[in-house]
Amino acid sequence: MRYLPLTPDDRAEMLARIGVNSVDDLFADIPAAQREHELPRLALHKSEMEVERALARLAAKNVPAGSVPFFVGAGAYRHHVPASVDHLIQRSEFLTSYTPYQPEIAQGTLQYLFEFQTQVAELTGMEVANASMYDGSTAAAEAVLMAHRVTKRRKALLAGNLHPHYRATIETVSRYAADDVVALAPVPTGGEDIIAAIDAGCSCVVVQSPDVFGNIVDLKPIAEAAHKAGALLIAVFTEAVSLGLIEPPGAQGADIVAGEGQSIGNALNFGGPYVGLFATRQKFVRQMPGRLAGETVDAEGRRGFVLTLSTREQHIRREKATSNICTNSGLCALAFTIHMSLLGKTGLIRLARANHAAACDLADRLAAVPGAEVLNDTFFNEFTLRVPGKAADVVEKLAARGILGGVPYSRLAPKAGLDDLILVAATETTTEDDRAAYAAALKEVL
Amino acid sequence: MNREGRGATTPHIVGGISAGPVTFTGNRGLDLEEGLIFEIGRTEVTGVDIAEPAPFKDRLGTHKRTAPLELPGLSEPEAMRHYVRLSRMNYGIDSGLFPLGSCTMKHNPRLNEKMARLAGFADIHPLQPLSTVTGALELMAELSRYLLELTGMKAVALTPKAGAHGELCGMMAIKAAHAARGEAQRNVVLVPESAHGTNPATAALIGYEVRSIPARADGTVDPEAVKAALGPEVAALMLTNPNTCGLFERDVVAIAEAVHQAGAYFYSDGANFNAILGKVRIADLGVDAMHINLHKTFSTPHGGGGPGAGPVVLSEALAPFAPVPALVATADGLVLVEDEGSAGAEQALGRMSAFHGQMGMFVRALSWMLSHGADGMRQASEDAVLSANYVRACLMDVMSAPFAERPAMHEALFDDAWLAGTGISTLDIAKALIDEGYHPMTVYFPLVVHGAMLIEPTESESKASLDLFLGALRDLAMAAKAGDKERFLGAPHYAPRRRLDETRAARAPVLRWVRPEPLPNAAE
């Protein structure tokens, strides 16, 4: 077996040194009645070539985004990631290292986490960011729990245009923690009245912008109303690239920002692993979940980095911790950081403009198809298309014509009664030909 | 034994090496200092060529960014150099033996990386039509089949994103099951003292009161102590098995029976599953739920702290409460049930996160399982356990190993009794190991042992590699007992950084870079 270095002779010598006759003696504490003597009913070991063949066969049954005109978004976006990003994250010293609990030999990880935290804070317009969460949805759920700790209240108000999976993730953990959630109904055209629903019992208002339908939301009046009621504004985003062009939540009064960072540096991966971005105000830092890298000096006075404020965390505080999170998304955060370092301000703004331009062009083309209607006044790289009949059928018919045309909202929220809406995304990876092909196919389908 | 294999001819350097001159740059040959991107990058530079779109009418309304955006850019050569230099300040499994107890730092086969990057896995979207991702669903089903065969359990929830997230999923399933039985009043969870911190943190997160169970003298949990703590208010026991002392809980069957008899459920923390792969099916031990850290046992890389994946296997009693999405086999093939309450997920506990779980990790884990096969997986567990026992046997005469009357499982636990009177602590030993070229073992965990040192060699080390490590540790032990304090108290001497001031970091936290104030004019 190519991964196991011990030889039969080694094993015999080691058993002799331990002073037992067989390896089974080492498993003597497993009750005899329960010990397995037969091998599991699974195939025996395979060569690298055989494994590659088996998995390639499965992969070949899927339609990769890059092989077709592709317009699927709704929380995960296909962007071009520079080749150097994937090369660098596969450096052994990054890929095969552990959580940096021994800082003297983990300065590489700790320094990039410090860079990551700074980039996330800058991008979101916030004061501090942590070293990552699992993904955007779990970051949003953690943000709600944090708001409860800060305000000592236990009710979250969720905007109707929050991604339904995010809503379900927050509702699930809240249900088991016996916290209240009030979720408003979706308003696909935007302009929902969240402020009217804020009351003195709310610990937080959770608002996504751009929202799940693509509308850009003015967070400022919501923040003001929340603060007046003693609640926090939690701003959510699912498309980090949008912050290159639109006003960041930090500049609009958000208290906590929870977002999905996948679209910078990370592939689609069928939904994971992704990277949750989590930022807040300096004054709330001790209520934050997750790891934090901080600057310090070593015994010779040189600058260095360590994990800090760990008295918030489970391995120290156990049942009094701010969160149970341990493993996070370190390597995905590294991919984010490298891609963002390559982009810089100049590249990020250009990338955002390329996305917005592609989406504007597509929206104009699709709006011109008889029967189709674009609902948005504002959007970044994703908008909502109303079609006659069932959106899910239209998307299937488009797929049959080789176009992956978006996400039927009904797939995310089957019970919402919004069966004629398609969420359509266009990133810099779409070409003019792709967009023309979409409009032509839609015309055939409708 | 100490000096076999590679490095045996290296002269033992007494008294250290010549320090040499202080360099002007702060660099020392291949040891290169590296600034932050904020110090070396510039906002007007970019390493990505993106064409400026033709003029168009934007649809941003009044929401255009006015806030500053101080993100420096690097050209590609600068970025490569920056991150390669950072990587060289890190220690990984590929650098050397990484005996971090409870973390299972085993070899990460590169085949798995290659497979996860196939366009058919990496470049598919979680919400594209299911008819275009049948291979992905098949892969998830195949991974599920492997996990269920290895554990004997009834169902698996694939979506949890790491071990702690899996714990949360399992404990929510338990809470849902009690609620469905009309026993929502059960509000206490029993957790042994030796448990990982995530166990009590998870239980507390969903409103459970945590009650601690002491360990008995041999390092395991006494079924009588569990029985004494059980009652109508107890919802579950969370037990790590093998436990964090590296021992198999030999009374686990009796413990499970007592838990069930009291109407509670048995949650098993699967962090240490690597010790028992193919040796025992946890269903046979009475487990109701267990998370499996794919990034430990099944070798998806730790990546400096993640991403992980924490699928949860469930017993028949808990299976109906598995979260959405649920993969259901029907006559028409595999169906992904994505909505709570739909057919196939009528009693689902809810949703753990957006989308369908850590697909990238599923591919890597299945690749590892297919490579090893039933025979290789069992051999891996046996080698991991053999290596840990070998480590303990070879160090028993110079260090103190509590609970050594029982066989170790996949990790060897030592305490600091052997350091008494030396003025040298467990932390000092760890830092001195860094100087010797090793990543330290886990220190000060589990909490039930004073000054704990937990060594998990895994199955990935050759005997020669183990012997070199053991030689280094024996030499250190002898030096400590001989009073060579300077070697320890100042360690590490040869790492990219000396010991770092953690108190200062926590007292006035600096969590992001800020542009320094301009220097006052030197002429003033």
Side-chain angles (χ1 to χ4, degrees):
Chain A
M1 218 282 120
R2 61 187 178 278
Y3 301 134
L4 301 174
L6 294 181
T7 65
D9 285 350
D10 291 337
R11 294 182 184 117
E13 276 182 54
M14 291 162 74
L15 287 169
R17 180 72 180 79
I18 296 163
V20 294
N21 291 322
S22 81
V23 75
D24 273 338
D25 294 346
L26 301 176
F27 290 89
D29 276 351
I30 301 180
Q34 278 77 31
R35 221 175 305 160
E36 284 287 310
H37 297 287
E38 303 298 317
L39 282 176
R41 285 160 300 182
L42 298 166
L44 300 183
H45 69 273
K46 286 181 168 53
S47 70
E48 189 168 300
M49 190 170 70
E50 291 171 300
V51 174
E52 202 164 328
R53 196 177 286 146
L55 291 174
R57 190 182 58 79
L58 289 181
K61 292 185 180 183
N62 304 322
V63 178
S67 67
V68 290
F70 183 84
F71 304 95
V72 187
Y77 301 89
R78 182 168 193 271
H79 292 288
H80 177 77
V81 178
S84 52
V85 174
D86 196 46
H87 178 86
L88 284 167
I89 69 167
Q90 290 191 75
R91 286 279 302 186
S92 282
E93 302 90 332
F94 287 137
L95 185 76
T96 75
S97 61
Y98 195 72
T99 304
Y101 289 137
Q102 296 290 343
E104 299 89 349
I105 47 172
Q107 285 299 301
T109 299
L110 286 158
Q111 184 169 329
Y112 84 63
L113 290 176
F114 187 81
E115 293 178 352
F116 171 80
Q117 289 171 188
T118 307
Q119 286 174 331
V120 172
E122 190 64 32
L123 183 69
T124 56
M126 301 298 283
E127 288 164 355
V128 288
N130 76 7
S132 83
M133 308 299 286
Y134 306 132
D135 73 347
S137 66
T138 53
E142 288 275 13
V144 168
L145 296 174
M146 176 174 152
H148 293 348
R149 289 193 295 275
V150 169
T151 61
K152 304 196 165 54
R153 299 177 185 177
R154 300 183 68 172
K155 183 168 85 176
L157 174 64
L158 312 188
N161 291 359
L162 179 64
H163 192 297
H165 283 184
Y166 285 51
R167 170 179 164 173
T169 304
I170 293 168
E171 284 178 335
T172 298
V173 74
S174 300
R175 183 153 71 233
Y176 292 88
D179 297 330
D180 291 332
V181 176
V182 175
L184 303 177
V187 182
T189 50
E192 61 171 322
D193 191 0
I194 302 161
I195 291 171
I198 300 174
D199 64 37
C202 292
S203 84
C204 57
V205 186
V206 184
V207 186
Q208 178 180 332
S209 178
D211 68 23
V212 72
F213 300 104
N215 308 295
I216 306 172
V217 181
D218 189 359
L219 298 173
K220 220 173 206 163
I222 305 172
E224 281 164 12
H227 294 159
K228 202 177 279 175
L232 306 187
L233 173 64
I234 297 174
V236 170
F237 59 86
T238 62
E239 171 51 292
V241 175
S242 68
L243 296 177
L245 275 190
I246 67 175
E247 191 73 315
Q252 301 184 69
D255 300 287
I256 307 175
V257 176
E260 176 55 67
Q262 169 271 331
S263 62
I264 295 178
N266 289 276
L268 289 171
N269 286 326
F270 199 51
Y274 290 172
V275 49
L277 310 183
F278 195 104
T280 188
R281 306 256 168 233
Q282 181 74 38
K283 64 181 174 185
F284 298 137
V285 72
R286 285 173 201 273
Q287 289 299 335
M288 237 181 159
R291 296 187 184 126
L292 288 163
E295 185 183 318
T296 187
V297 295
D298 77 352
E300 292 175 356
R302 290 177 298 180
R303 178 172 71 187
F305 302 92
V306 292
L307 291 180
T308 193
L309 300 182
S310 52
T311 48
R312 300 163 299 113
E313 294 186 71
Q314 47 77 27
H315 64 282
I316 307 287
R317 288 280 275 178
R318 300 175 79 83
E319 66 266 28
K320 295 188 182 66
T322 56
S323 166
N324 73 337
I325 193 168
C326 180
T327 290
N328 56 20
S329 294
L331 205 67
C332 303
L334 175 61
F336 178 101
T337 293
I338 298 171
H339 192 181
M340 191 61 99
S341 300
L342 283 163
L343 286 166
K345 173 184 183 175
T346 305
L348 179 67
I349 291 173
R350 261 187 225 152
L351 174 64
R353 282 180 60 78
N355 273 260
H356 188 47
C360 287
D361 175 59
L362 181 66
D364 290 343
R365 289 171 189 268
L366 298 186
V369 174
E373 182 193 357
V374 171
L375 298 187
N376 305 58
D377 284 335
T378 59
F379 58 85
F380 171 62
N381 68 355
E382 185 165 30
F383 53 85
T384 300
L385 191 69
R386 176 172 280 149
V387 293
K390 288 209 179 304
D393 295 342
V394 173
V395 167
E396 282 295 338
K397 284 179 192 163
L398 288 168
R401 284 167 173 75
I403 310 273
L404 297 183
V407 181
Y409 183 73
S410 59
R411 178 164 174 192
L412 296 173
K415 299 179 191 99
L418 295 168
D419 295 340
D420 56 354
L421 304 179
I422 307 176
L423 312 180
V424 182
T427 72
E428 81 287 358
T429 62
T430 65
T431 64
E432 201 173 338
D433 288 349
D434 291 342
R435 300 191 291 267
Y438 189 178
L442 187 67
K443 202 168 182 178
E444 280 174 42
V445 164
L446 294 189
Chain B
M1 181 207 80
N2 296 358
R3 298 267 167 217
E4 283 175 3
R6 193 170 43 187
T9 56
T10 306
H12 189 69
I13 297 162
V14 182
I17 49 175
S18 158
V22 174
T23 59
F24 297 112
T25 54
N27 298 329
R28 281 184 283 193
L30 282 176
D31 294 337
L32 297 159
E33 292 293 309
E34 180 65 8
L36 291 158
I37 49 171
F38 309 100
E39 294 158 348
I40 59 179
R42 291 130 294 164
T43 52
E44 67 276 17
V45 169
T46 181
V48 187
D49 291 328
I50 301 163
E52 183 63 29
F56 66 103
K57 184 180 162 299
D58 77 64
R59 308 285 281 272
L60 300 171
T62 56
H63 307 287
K64 288 188 193 71
R65 182 162 186 138
T66 59
L69 187 60
E70 285 286 315
L71 292 171
L74 300 173
S75 65
E76 182 168 314
E78 292 172 293
M80 289 303 292
R81 195 166 287 164
H82 176 67
Y83 289 102
V84 166
R85 284 182 172 207
L86 288 191
S87 76
R88 293 167 53 88
M89 299 177 199
N90 262 11
Y91 191 102
I93 307 162
D94 291 348
S95 319
L97 194 145
F98 207 127
L100 198 62
S102 224
C103 301
T104 313
M105 297 297 282
K106 60 170 72 177
H107 172 62
N108 300 138
R110 289 314 190 276
L111 169 66
N112 306 353
E113 295 302 308
K114 185 178 177 188
M115 294 299 93
R117 286 169 170 80
L118 292 174
F121 297 133
D123 194 25
I124 54 173
H125 190 287
L127 297 174
Q128 66 187 66
L130 291 174
S131 57
T132 65
V133 290
T134 55
L137 300 185
E138 267 185 58
L139 183 132
M140 289 162 71
E142 187 66 353
L143 177 70
S144 302
R145 185 173 76 84
Y146 268 73
L147 294 177
L148 293 178
E149 171 60 28
L150 289 168
T151 58
M153 300 291 273
K154 173 78 177 169
V156 58
L158 289 178
T159 51
K161 290 185 170 283
H165 205 220
E167 289 176 30
L168 182 62
C169 178
M171 293 307 291
M172 292 198 299
I174 285 170
K175 204 165 192 183
H178 281 308
R181 283 175 18 190
E183 299 197 20
Q185 86 288 351
R186 292 179 180 267
N187 65 344
V188 171
V189 170
L190 308 181
V191 180
E193 283 173 340
S194 60
H196 293 111
T198 50
N199 291 179
T202 300
L205 180 60
I206 54 171
Y208 282 121
E209 182 192 318
V210 175
R211 197 177 288 167
S212 191
I213 303 278
R216 63 184 163 192
D218 71 356
T220 60
V221 172
D222 186 346
E224 294 309 316
V226 173
K227 277 182 203 161
L230 284 166
E233 75 284 12
V234 174
L237 167 75
M238 297 181 87
L239 183 69
T240 308
N241 192 20
N243 71 21
T244 60
C245 299
L247 305 171
F248 192 86
E249 292 284 355
R250 65 184 193 282
D251 291 317
V252 60
V253 174
I255 291 170
E257 276 170 11
V259 166
H260 290 152
Q261 213 139 46
Y265 293 104
F266 177 16
Y267 186 89
S268 182
D269 181 322
N272 296 336
F273 192 43
N274 199 47
I276 57 171
L277 206 52
K279 300 299 288 185
V280 62
R281 287 155 40 114
I282 55 126
D284 297 335
L285 304 175
V287 170
D288 290 299
M290 182 180 88
H291 72 266
I292 298 169
N293 305 74
L294 296 187
H295 49 293
K296 294 183 179 179
T297 310
F298 299 108
S299 181
T300 74
H302 280 73
V312 178
V313 288
L314 299 167
S315 65
E316 189 142 20
L318 296 183
F321 305 101
V324 291
L327 198 57
V328 180
T330 71
D332 299 331
L334 291 166
V335 173
L336 194 68
V337 180
E338 296 177 272
D339 196 47
E340 276 177 69
S342 300
E346 291 86 350
Q347 289 180 280
L349 65 85
R351 173 177 277 281
M352 298 303 299
S353 69
F355 312 130
H356 328 307
Q358 307 283 68
M359 182 65 169
M361 305 294 117
F362 300 163
V363 178
R364 290 172 176 88
L366 186 62
S367 178
W368 190 93
M369 291 169 154
L370 293 174
S371 289
H372 282 76
D375 50 339
M377 286 193 274
R378 168 128 80 170
Q379 186 69 59
S381 272
E382 289 181 353
D383 284 358
V385 170
L386 176 65
S387 295
N389 279 280
Y390 181 68
V391 164
R392 193 170 71 175
C394 292
L395 294 173
M396 286 278 277
D397 57 332
V398 290
M399 292 165 64
S400 45
F403 318 131
E405 61 277 16
R406 316 287 331 165
M409 295 304 285
H410 62 306
E411 50 196 0
L413 176 63
F414 299 90
D415 61 20
D416 62 0
W418 62 282
L419 285 169
T422 62
I424 292 162
S425 69
T426 289
L427 185 70
D428 299 327
I429 298 293
K431 300 303 184 193
L433 256 181
I434 291 176
D435 279 339
E436 301 296 335
Y438 291 102
H439 194 284
M441 64 290 267
T442 290
V443 291
Y444 301 107
F445 182 83
L447 309 175
V448 291
V449 165
H450 199 269
M453 295 172 229
L454 190 62
I455 300 178
E456 181 178 2
T458 82
E459 71 273 20
S460 301
E461 298 302 323
S462 69
K463 181 168 176 296
S465 163
L466 289 172
D467 286 340
L468 281 172
F469 169 69
L470 292 166
L473 204 43
R474 289 183 67 85
D475 287 345
L476 287 177
M478 251 96 81
K481 289 176 178 176
D484 183 3
K485 275 169 86 165
E486 191 41 44
R487 172 184 298 278
F488 295 93
L489 302 188
H493 300 84
Y494 306 124
R497 285 292 177 272
R498 305 293 297 275
R499 278 192 215 193
L500 289 142
D501 189 344
E502 302 198 15
T503 311
R504 171 180 166 144
R507 199 174 45 225
V510 178
L511 305 174
R512 60 172 291 180
W513 182 82
V514 280
R515 185 173 292 287
E517 296 292 323
L519 288 172
N521 192 325
E524 285 173 5

